């Protein structure tokens, strides 16, 4: 059964897109037990900024079809195949109008869920890169998902926002998706030399670990931006970077989700 994982945080700048691309890549490099083929992974860009689409080497303004067409016009998902071993459903700025159009759309909560149904059995993992908001696009992503994975920057302000984030997850669980599970929390952009980062990391580990696993922190590094500029996952761009091992460990943990 396909695991549909929404990478979600209403705050921007917490590395959602970077983690979507890199965790997707590491998942695609893992071979499941008793199978010769590696896990099949689909990434879906749900952010009108289309950053994931850019990171994966596509030009949003040149695309004939995006996730917008699938969600709003109920067309087939436009899947671009085999980019670093991953498949991608791209986004463009057109998606920015989807928030308004979905307000009056029939069955709006289930639009993404229905769009995924024809293809979800073709993949072992589908990762949804959610926009940095609590709007309808994030909401329909959570409704369509089996799990939510929360990147959380090791800054006090970001940690304070976790309560609002968790209340949104609770609201989704209350009716439209009662089986939604929290896959874990990923502390991101961590600087071990910064005492505030250290304090916030400790708070994340102490207060959120009762809800779901808190994974090892992803270090702050310009290598992620350099890799994205080169349109590559970090493991290809700089295989010996310390974060590569952490990302691989998190990907392995995700393969064990129930």
């Amino acid at each position: 059964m396909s695991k549909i994982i929404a990478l979600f945080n209403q705050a921007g700048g917490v590395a959602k897109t970077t983690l979507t691309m890199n965790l997707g890549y590491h998942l695609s490099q893992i071979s499941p037990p008793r199978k010769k083929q590696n896990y099949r992974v689909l990434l879906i860009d749900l952010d009108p900024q289309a950053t994931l689409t850019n990171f994966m080497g596509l030009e949003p303004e040149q695309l004939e079809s995006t996730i917008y067409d699938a969600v709003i016009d109920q067309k087939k998902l436009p899947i671009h195949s085999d980019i670093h071993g991953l498949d991608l459903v791209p986004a463009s700025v057109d998606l920015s109008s989807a928030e308004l159009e979905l307000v009056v759309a029939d069955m709006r909560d289930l639009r993404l869920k229905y769009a995924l149904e024809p293809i979800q059995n073709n993949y072992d993992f589908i990762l949804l890169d959610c926009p940095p908001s609590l709007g309808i696009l994030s909401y329909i992503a959570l409704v369509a998902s089996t799990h939510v994975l929360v990147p959380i920057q090791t800054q006090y302000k970001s940690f304070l926002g976790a309560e609002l984030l968790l209340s949104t997850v609770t609201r989704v669980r209350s009716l439209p998706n009662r089986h939604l599970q929290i896959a874990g929390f990923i502390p991101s952009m961590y600087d071990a030399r910064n005492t505030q980062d250290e304090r916030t990391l400790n708070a994340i580990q102490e207060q959120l670990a009762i809800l779901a696993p808190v994974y090892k922190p992803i270090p702050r590094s310009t290598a992620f931006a350099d890799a994205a500029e080169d349109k590559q996952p970090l493991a290809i761009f700089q295989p010996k970077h310390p974060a590569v091992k952490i990302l691989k460990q998190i990907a392995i943990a995700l393969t064990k989700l129930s």
Side-chain angles (χ1 to χ4, degrees), residues 69-224:
D69 301 283
V71 171
I72 299 299
D73 297 328
Q74 302 177 62
K75 295 181 179 179
K76 291 183 179 179
L77 287 171
I79 297 175
H80 295 250
S81 299
D82 200 18
I83 307 173
H84 304 304
L86 302 164
D87 289 357
L88 171 72
V89 176
S92 72
V93 70
D94 291 346
L95 197 57
S96 60
S97 66
E99 292 272 359
L100 293 175
E101 295 178 66
L102 284 169
V103 169
V104 295
D106 294 334
M107 305 295 288
R108 66 179 186 184
D109 290 3
L110 300 175
R111 287 295 185 100
L112 182 58
K113 180 179 176 66
Y114 289 158
L116 292 177
E117 283 181 350
I119 58 87
Q120 68 183 57
N121 288 334
N122 298 334
Y123 296 96
D124 300 292
F125 292 92
I126 299 174
L127 304 187
L128 310 178
D129 183 24
C130 297
S133 74
L134 295 175
I136 294 177
L137 290 173
S138 294
Y139 189 78
I140 66 172
L142 295 174
V143 172
S145 298
T146 58
H147 298 79
V148 55
L149 183 62
V150 182
I152 180 167
Q153 188 178 356
T154 52
Q155 291 289 313
Y156 184 64
K157 181 179 178 181
S158 183
F159 175 64
L160 288 178
E163 184 175 352
L164 184 58
L165 181 153
L166 291 170
S167 69
T168 301
V169 173
T170 300
R171 182 160 59 96
V172 174
R173 279 174 160 175
S174 67
L175 187 61
N177 188 356
R178 293 178 177 175
H179 301 292
L180 180 66
Q181 300 179 55
I182 301 176
F185 301 91
I186 303 179
S188 64
M189 306 180 74
Y190 174 64
D191 185 349
R193 300 167 298 179
N194 188 310
T195 56
Q196 185 188 76
D197 282 31
E198 185 68 25
R199 288 196 301 270
T200 305
L201 176 62
N202 290 337
I204 291 170
Q205 292 170 334
E206 291 173 5
Q207 298 185 38
L208 298 182
I210 60 174
L211 302 175
V214 176
Y215 298 107
K216 288 185 178 180
I218 306 295
R220 182 187 299 271
S221 174
T222 58
F224 284 110

Side-chain angles (χ1 to χ4, degrees), residues 2-50:
S2 179
K3 302 291 188 302
I4 304 173
I5 304 174
L7 282 90
F8 169 62
N9 191 317
Q10 77 275 10
V14 299
K16 285 190 301 292
T17 301
T18 295
L19 287 169
T20 302
M21 180 181 185
N22 283 280
L23 289 175
Y25 174 77
H26 283 284
L27 285 167
S28 74
Q29 300 303 299
I30 298 173
S31 178
R34 298 180 296 279
K35 290 187 179 180
K36 295 181 180 179
Q37 184 182 30
N38 289 357
Y39 285 116
R40 301 160 298 172
V41 181
L42 174 67
L43 309 183
I44 298 182
D45 192 347
L46 282 171
D47 190 341
Q49 298 177 84

